[in-house]
Amino acid sequence: MIIAAGGGRRLGGPEALLHQGERPLVDRMIDTMTEAGCDQIVVVLGAAADQVRQTADLSRATVVVNRAWGTGVGSSIRAGLAALTDEAVEAVVVVPVDMPGLTPTAVRRVVALPFPDVLVCATYDGLRGYPMLFGRRHWPGIATLASADVGARPYLLAHKEQIVDIACDAVADGSRVDSPELMALYGLTVPPQRVGV
């Protein structure tokens, strides 16, 4: 699941419209998830969803539009989980679109145990981050507790003894682009044709 719904207030435009070179960042994230071996990819859009559909190649993904994107990432996680109706899917790996340093290797490390009862978090310098792997048995609880901009954090805190931490420092950059300075560092731009959100 790729969360690409935020308005990017600090960036000057929605995260899903960010480009790295000529390609939208959401396309690159779909590439990363595909190369990591994800069978089904759900992209949750929100802010500027119509523009994202026009600029990105979402043909390899199931697209969900979160109309309540302004309430925070919690509603996007709920929308993405609701789209996973295939009972054969036992776990979902969740990543935000604004992680240009994420690699297929890091995703593969986190999804190595795709079982219904798992909770796995990547760590960078000992701190938990994305990707996160949620086993199906946890989905109802995550959907119930996911709120505002803290997403799955309340559920994870309540089940911290069950979380498996996987160090990804050596294989990926866990930074999320949340400032113009980081945009410049990664060579990211918001296309000039963007109007409003």
Side-chain angles (χ1 to χ4, degrees), residues 108-131:
R108 280 193 293 267
R109 279 191 181 187
V110 170
V111 303
L113 302 169
F115 303 120
D117 55 350
V118 300
L119 286 173
V120 182
C121 290
T123 64
Y124 305 90
D125 294 326
L127 299 175
R128 287 182 178 141
Y130 292 95

Side-chain angles (χ1 to χ4, degrees), residues 6 9 14 25 43 49-50 68 75-76 85 101 112 117 121 130 133 137 139 161 165 176 184-185 189:
R9 288 182 295 275
L25 203 52
V43 175
D50 291 340
S75 60
S76 293
T85 56
D117 55 350
C121 290
Y130 292 95
L133 182 70
R137 288 184 191 146
W139 296 359
E161 72 286 347
D165 290 324
R176 294 187 61 190
L185 182 67
T189 58

Side-chain angles (χ1 to χ4, degrees), residues 9 12 25 36 54 56 62 81 84 93 95 107 121 165 167 173 188 192:
R9 288 182 295 275
L25 203 52
Q54 291 167 12
T62 299
L81 290 175
L84 294 169
V93 61
V95 298
V107 177
C121 290
D165 290 324
D173 179 347
L188 301 177

Side-chain angles (χ1 to χ4, degrees), residues 1-3 33 38-44 61-64 76-94 132-136 139-140 142:
M1 181 195 309
I2 301 170
I3 305 294
M33 301 295 268
C38 296
D39 296 325
Q40 177 185 356
I41 298 171
V42 173
V43 175
V44 182
T62 299
V63 177
V64 178
S76 293
I77 290 173
R78 284 194 299 276
L81 290 175
L84 294 169
T85 56
D86 183 350
E87 293 293 329
V89 177
E90 295 194 325
V92 60
V93 61
V94 179
M132 295 179 181
L133 182 70
F134 303 146
R136 178 178 280 277
W139 296 359
I142 290 170

Side-chain angles (χ1 to χ4, degrees), residues 4-9 11 13-19 25-26 97-98 176-177:
R9 288 182 295 275
L11 304 178
E15 292 98 335
L17 287 179
L18 289 173
H19 277 54
L25 203 52
V26 67
V97 74
D98 59 358
R176 294 187 61 190
V177 177

